[in-house]
């Protein structure tokens, strides 16, 4: 039986890339299969001339988000999450932190992509410096001018990565800059406004995987619609500490269960007092810990 990677889930069908050709092929799903997403691996069988996905192979990793109806898979078998921000729409750290935490909890490396660096923005520059100082990989990019694209392409060799970030930051534009043959649809901000606030606001409407080379081992890249507000599953203490290494480094407190409020001997309060930790970073830590309001 042929092995294939799921490129996209299209309602009742899958778009898959069977090995070794990786030529995109539509196939139906055997009814017993669990919900499959881009990056999943399946086995295919011929069924009276039609191609059928008959078996879902075990997942190495799974990125999920919380919905009103419970956790929902977004993409499978990633190793890297490309958390994208740009000068416009205005970036906010508190929208990026939950993506970092979700990446850690799913076992993925978060990379930060600072796009549209052809347009100056103090907010984006401040985040760029902040994430660099915290030790995260940050890439300076312009999909428009081509800046940084070669370095990102090299870094992505052999990786399984997906874009994440607000609508309009240029995820599909970066995909097209990295691999013009993807020819992903890109939307202008004015088009976006004309379409109003409905579902159609996102230019990219389905999650779709693109192989970076002739074989899957050369790497894969997933484009996804922008998430206006990404709602992660509850964040673990471990992932919170990885997302906020500055808070974690300060948290040498007298009490093991210190909530970093008014407890005596609190390292976090001491770091706030001597200026090594900013009140804004602590507020973002608390917000990420509490999680957003129920979706
Ligand atoms: N100035 C500038 N504009 C860019 C750059 N990259 C993308 N854009 C523009 O930003 C707008 C949105 O780009 P998209 O690639 O559609 O954004 P997206 O993140 O894929 O958006 P969704 O699919 O809705 O999530 C388009 O008008 C692009 O031309 C860049 O590096 N510089
Ligand atoms: Mg897009
Ligand atoms: Zn404390």
């Amino acid at each position: 039986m042929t092995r294939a990677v799921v490129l996209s889930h299209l309602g009742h069908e899958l778009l898959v890339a069977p090995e070794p050709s990786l030529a995109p092929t539509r196939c139906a799903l055997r009814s017993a299969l669990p919900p499959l997403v881009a990056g999943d691996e399946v086995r295919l069988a011929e069924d009276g001339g039609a191609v059928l996905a008959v078996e879902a192979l075990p997942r190495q990793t799974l990125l999920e988000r919380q919905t009103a109806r419970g956790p929902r898979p977004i993409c499978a078998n990633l190793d890297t999450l490309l958390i994208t921000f740009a000068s416009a729409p205005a970036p906010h750290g508190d929208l990026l932190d939950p993506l970092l935490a979700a990446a850690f909890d799913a076992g993925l490396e978060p990379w930060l992509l600072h796009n549209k660096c052809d347009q100056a923005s103090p907010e984006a520059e401040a985040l760029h410096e902040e994430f660099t100082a915290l030790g995260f990989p940050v890439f300076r990019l312009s999909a428009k001018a081509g800046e940084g694209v070669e370095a990102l392409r090299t870094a992505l060799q052999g990786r399984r990565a997906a874009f994440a970030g607000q609508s309009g930051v240029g995820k599909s534009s970066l995909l097209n800059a990295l691999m013009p043959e993807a020819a992903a649809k890109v939307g202008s901000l004015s088009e976006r406004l004309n379409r109003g606030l409905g579902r159609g606001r996102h230019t990219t409407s389905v999650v779709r995987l693109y192989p970076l080379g002739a074989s899957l081992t050369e790497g894969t890249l997933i484009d996804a619609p922008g998430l206006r507000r990404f709602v992660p599953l509850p964040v673990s203490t471990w992932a919170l500490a990885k997302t906020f290494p500055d808070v974690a480094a300060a948290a040498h407190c007298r009490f093991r269960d210190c909530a970093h409020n008014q407890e005596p001997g609190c390292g976090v309060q001491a770091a706030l007092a001597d200026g090594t930790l900013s009140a804004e970073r602590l507020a973002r830590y608390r917000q990420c810990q509490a999680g957003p309001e129920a979706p």
Side-chain angles (χ1 to χ4, degrees):
M1 274 190 290
T2 314
R3 206 178 147 109
V5 64
V6 175
L7 300 178
S8 196
H9 185 119
L10 311 164
H12 296 293
E13 281 188 317
L14 296 177
L15 188 66
V16 296
E19 289 181 316
S21 78
L22 303 184
T25 307
R26 278 174 180 265
C27 77
L29 282 120
R30 176 172 280 176
S31 57
L33 293 188
L36 294 170
V37 289
D40 262 319
E41 290 183 8
V42 293
R43 284 194 202 284
L44 304 177
E46 291 268 340
D47 182 32
V51 184
L52 190 67
V54 292
E55 185 190 349
L57 300 178
R59 289 168 170 155
Q60 309 300 315
T61 64
L62 181 64
L63 184 68
E64 293 176 287
R65 65 190 176 91
Q66 192 65 267
T67 72
R69 283 168 288 146
R72 219 181 136 148
I74 307 174
C75 32
N77 297 321
L78 298 177
D79 53 33
T80 312
L81 192 63
L82 305 175
I83 302 172
T84 310
F85 65 95
S87 40
H92 296 286
D94 55 3
L95 294 177
L96 302 173
D97 299 330
L99 285 167
L100 280 148
F104 283 120
D105 266 331
L108 319 180
E109 267 181 50
W111 293 3
L112 290 138
L113 306 190
H114 172 190
N115 190 34
K116 307 197 190 184
C117 64
D118 52 285
Q119 298 176 336
S121 148
E123 292 85 4
E125 282 306 329
L127 283 171
H128 188 122
E129 276 171 34
E130 178 191 303
F131 285 121
T132 303
L134 291 168
F136 297 116
V138 188
F139 291 79
R140 181 179 295 276
L141 291 150
S142 167
K144 190 174 171 186
E147 190 180 337
V149 172
E150 214 39 65
L152 181 60
R153 187 186 289 120
T154 304
L156 287 171
Q157 281 301 313
R159 291 200 168 250
R160 293 176 162 226
F163 288 105
Q166 274 176 276
S167 184
V169 293
K171 301 179 293 300
S172 301
S173 302
L174 285 169
L175 171 79
N176 288 339
L178 289 162
M179 38 183 318
E181 63 277 22
K185 196 169 168 226
V186 163
S188 72
L189 288 176
S190 55
E191 249 182 70
R192 219 174 290 275
L193 292 175
N194 289 340
R195 272 182 271 138
L197 295 174
R199 272 180 145 258
R201 216 165 64 98
H202 303 295
T203 301
T204 304
S205 55
V206 292
V207 179
R208 165 90 195 243
L209 180 144
Y210 299 86
L212 282 168
S215 84
L216 295 177
T217 53
E218 289 178 49
T220 55
L221 199 47
I222 290 178
D223 192 17
L227 299 162
R228 198 145 45 94
R229 192 160 195 91
F230 171 74
V231 183
L233 306 191
V235 174
S236 71
T237 309
W238 175 82
L240 197 64
K242 297 282 281 181
T243 305
F244 293 90
D246 48 348
V247 179
H252 296 292
C253 308
R254 186 179 306 164
F255 302 114
R256 272 191 135 264
D257 61 348
C258 184
H260 318 314
N261 289 319
Q262 302 297 325
E263 293 90 340
C266 173
V268 172
Q269 289 299 330
L272 273 183
D274 71 19
T276 45
L277 181 69
S278 74
E280 193 233 329
R281 287 284 303 166
L282 183 60
R284 275 167 52 185
Y285 170 90
R286 293 204 194 286
Q287 192 176 329
C288 191
Q289 183 178 39
E293 321 268 286

